[in-house]
Amino acid sequence: MATAERTYQNFINGKWVDASAAERRPDQNPADTREVLGEFPRSTVEDVRSAIDAAVAALPEWRRTSGPQRSAILHKAANLLEQRASEVGEALTLEEGKTIAEGVGEVMRGVAILRYYAGEPLRPFGENYQATNPTTFLYTEQVPLGVVGVITPWNFPAAIPIWKLAPCLAYGNVAVFKPAELTPLTAHLIVETLAEAGLPDGVLNMVQGPGSVVGNELATNPKVNGVTFTGSAEVGKQLYRVATDRGARVQLELGGKNPLIVADDASVDQAVELAISGAMRSTGQKCTATSRAIVVGRIADQFTDALVDRAKALKVGPGIDKENYMGPLVSEDARNRVLEYIDIGKREGATVRTGGEQLSGSDYDHGYFVAPTIFDNMKPEMRIAQEEIFGPVIGVIRVDSIEDAIKIANKVDYGLSASLATRDIGRAFEFIRQIEAGIVHVNSETAGAEPHVPFGGMKDSSSYSREQGRAAMEFFTQTKTVYLDMPSG
Ligand code: UN1
């Protein structure tokens, strides 16, 4: 297996530069940790400050570029990324672990997002109004927020950076991007592609390194006007306190505990497919993953048996191998955390119907593989039914009525996505009305997001803000109201 040959750098003011600290972090393949994909900087506060200063210096000119100019750059970035989709997708799979179909699919989603935001600067940026004085031209204009810190997680190392960076740049902002430490290579390739598309120096800067240093500086530095963050609730809430305390705008996308309610009239085959795909794709490491199957009445046994059979049949192994359905967890910590939750579930009295353990054997011994796990007899108050596990684990909760199912679905702190499998339109309407979730599905899985519509959660899943589609404009711009009158005399 190859060992690290290449060392990587930060991107500041249009140049690839070494971090000020000599210390580097190896980027390991979680399917086979003997493979190191590169060595990445562990940057210091000085590095972040120089990236912020470069962004500050680039802002006046960038914000004055025309919409069509910014549009052209984003179009070019989309085309360049499309040409590199298999290369970037492969890097993503090797460092994050998801399957190659998901890796390349995610990069293509990034391309679609870039194309959408390439169109944004060509759409309306404000509104005009009638004024009391009939000759006044009264209008609003959406102007950039300014310098934005972009902090992203490892689980969607291409799509999430792009869905934050593309609107950030499209609306005339400048960015300091801090990718997750576990997926620095995908971030590197994306920044390389965006830079090649012709962004002026300093408009996009990237600083690799730990959240406690790089993320913290972005949260505290008074020159940073806003911070957009996707990640854990714990880090997000801390960041929110620190950054809003100094008056910055903050956007959070946090966890989920997403339910799939299976009504007693549902197609069992369809419901099982939604549960498996929602729970096991990306090894369950999505904030939109399905982690609770709340099953109503008489079909519970049939559904659960079929779910268990389907989970047993899933092929698990390195994501780079096309025939595998599910790859490893992203890291040793992630694997240990999932195994710990499985233990907690057992101790709480839920029944493991399949999985529940780490996988061993030649394909598995150098990676962080856990078997697809189905808990039966999960009770709503159990920790495994309340807390985000972020792994290939789903629990079945059996209930007597759809009303109880919705009540239980809502009785968690999170409210990101939710799904109902049913053939009954009345039940669908009731579910849509009652469910506390930012993203609601009927007969489709809880995960997934179209690039051109708002994405975000209720309750503890976000900060009441939405990303993607036109909703992104609310975070990345501020409103200027203009009263334009004729000079008198
Ligand atoms: C998806 O379900 O495809 O971090 C997107 C996450 C979410 C994105 C999910 N912010 O998992």
Side-chain angles (χ1 to χ4, degrees):
M1 227 19 79
T3 44
E5 272 140 29
R6 178 155 178 205
T7 57
Y8 288 82
Q9 296 172 301
N10 289 326
F11 188 67
I12 298 176
N13 205 20
K15 284 169 206 64
W16 293 100
V17 291
D18 284 329
S20 55
E23 200 194 340
R24 290 174 183 281
R25 190 178 196 284
D27 185 21
Q28 285 182 325
N29 177 350
D32 184 343
T33 55
R34 292 168 299 179
E35 185 178 8
V36 175
L37 303 161
E39 303 267 339
F40 286 82
R42 302 208 77 198
S43 306
T44 66
V45 167
E46 275 61 30
D47 302 318
V48 196
R49 289 190 184 146
S50 78
I52 294 169
D53 288 343
V56 169
L59 181 62
E61 213 172 303
W62 179 246
R63 70 187 302 164
R64 269 199 297 273
T65 53
S66 73
Q69 265 175 294
R70 295 195 301 277
S71 171
I73 292 173
L74 290 172
H75 267 300
K76 188 160 177 207
N79 293 342
L80 291 170
L81 188 62
E82 188 171 37
Q83 283 159 23
R84 300 181 75 178
S86 47
E87 174 205 351
V88 181
E90 189 168 307
L92 195 167
T93 287
L94 289 176
E95 73 173 355
E96 198 272 348
K98 67 179 67 174
T99 63
I100 186 72
E102 291 176 292
V104 175
E106 185 184 330
V107 176
M108 287 311 294
R109 175 172 175 174
V111 171
I113 295 167
L114 281 165
R115 294 214 163 106
Y116 175 84
Y117 285 106
E120 260 312 81
L122 311 179
R123 297 184 192 110
F125 258 59
E127 295 168 331
N128 68 63
Y129 296 83
Q130 296 274 301
T132 307
N133 177 348
T135 64
T136 301
F137 179 26
L138 178 55
Y139 68 97
T140 63
E141 194 187 340
Q142 294 308 122
V143 302
L145 185 55
V147 178
V148 182
V150 173
I151 305 177
T152 57
W154 48 262
N155 67 331
F156 283 94
I160 294 180
I162 292 172
W163 88 40
K164 293 181 190 294
L165 289 171
C168 177
L169 302 172
Y171 297 127
N173 301 280
V174 292
V176 178
F177 169 35
K178 182 245 170 289
E181 273 201 292
L182 287 169
T183 50
L185 178 57
T186 311
H188 177 95
L189 297 172
I190 285 166
V191 169
E192 199 174 72
T193 308
L194 285 167
E196 200 189 326
L199 288 173
D201 294 351
V203 169
L204 167 62
N205 307 274
M206 176 178 66
V207 183
Q208 304 263 20
S212 56
V213 176
V214 183
N216 187 58
E217 182 62 20
L218 292 174
T220 49
N221 193 307
K223 295 176 189 165
V224 177
N225 306 102
V227 182
T228 172
F229 170 90
T230 298
S232 72
E234 195 190 337
V235 174
K237 284 181 177 168
Q238 164 71 7
L239 180 134
Y240 192 87
R241 272 192 294 274
V242 172
T244 55
D245 195 48
R246 65 171 178 83
R249 187 183 278 179
V250 179
Q251 173 178 58
L252 303 178
E253 280 305 330
L254 309 172
K257 191 70 195 172
N258 313 300
L260 165 68
I261 297 179
V262 183
D264 57 6
D265 69 319
S267 147
V268 171
D269 285 353
Q270 183 183 31
V272 167
E273 216 38 54
L274 300 180
I276 287 289
S277 178
M280 305 302 171
R281 286 216 187 267
S282 295
T283 322
Q285 301 171 114
K286 298 182 186 179
C287 58
T288 47
T290 310
S291 60
R292 298 179 289 157
I294 307 176
V295 192
V296 182
R298 59 186 166 80
I299 68 163
D301 283 339
Q302 195 194 346
F303 169 83
T304 311
D305 293 348
L307 184 67
V308 169
D309 287 347
R310 188 78 178 77
K312 279 183 178 157
L314 294 179
K315 264 187 85 67
V316 182
I320 203 75
D321 193 342
K322 277 198 178 63
E323 71 206 34
N324 289 323
Y325 185 93
M326 196 181 101
L329 288 150
V330 71
S331 67
E332 189 175 356
D333 281 355
R335 194 253 338 255
N336 293 345
R337 193 183 131 95
V338 170
L339 292 173
E340 210 177 295
Y341 267 111
I342 292 172
D343 265 356
I344 291 170
K346 287 180 189 161
R347 273 185 270 129
E348 286 179 311
T351 326
V352 174
R353 290 281 302 269
T354 181
E357 81 244 317
Q358 190 173 328
L359 290 166
S360 55
S362 58
D363 248 11
Y364 303 128
D365 285 348
H366 296 282
Y368 306 120
F369 294 95
V370 171
T373 299
I374 315 279
F375 274 112
D376 200 351
N377 301 314
M378 185 164 83
K379 300 283 174 265
E381 59 289 345
M382 289 179 178
R383 280 184 65 194
I384 57 161
Q386 290 287 326
E387 297 172 22
E388 187 175 47
I389 298 176
F390 229 60
V393 181
I394 181 168
V396 175
I397 300 177
R398 291 156 186 255
V399 297
D400 293 330
S401 67
I402 192 98
E403 292 74 24
D404 284 353
I406 296 173
K407 263 191 216 129
I408 288 167
N410 284 339
K411 251 188 156 169
V412 293
D413 293 335
Y414 293 115
L416 184 53
S417 66
S419 176
L420 168 68
T422 187
R423 290 188 167 95
D424 183 328
I425 187 88
R427 285 179 175 159
F429 272 105
E430 192 54 21
F431 168 73
I432 293 164
R433 257 195 301 272
Q434 301 288 347
I435 196 72
E436 294 164 1
I439 301 153
V440 182
H441 292 266
V442 177
N443 297 319
S444 56
E445 70 175 76
T446 60
E450 299 261 352
H452 55 288
V453 297
F455 176 90
M458 293 182 176
K459 304 196 285 192
D460 282 359
S461 290
S462 93
S463 51
Y464 299 104
S465 51
R466 294 292 179 266
E467 304 191 88
Q468 300 209 87
R470 289 230 104 194
M473 189 185 257
E474 282 160 35
F475 176 76
F476 286 106
T477 67
Q478 45 190 328
T479 303
K480 185 180 269 184
T481 304
V482 182
Y483 293 81
L484 179 60
D485 274 286
M486 291 293 285
S488 63

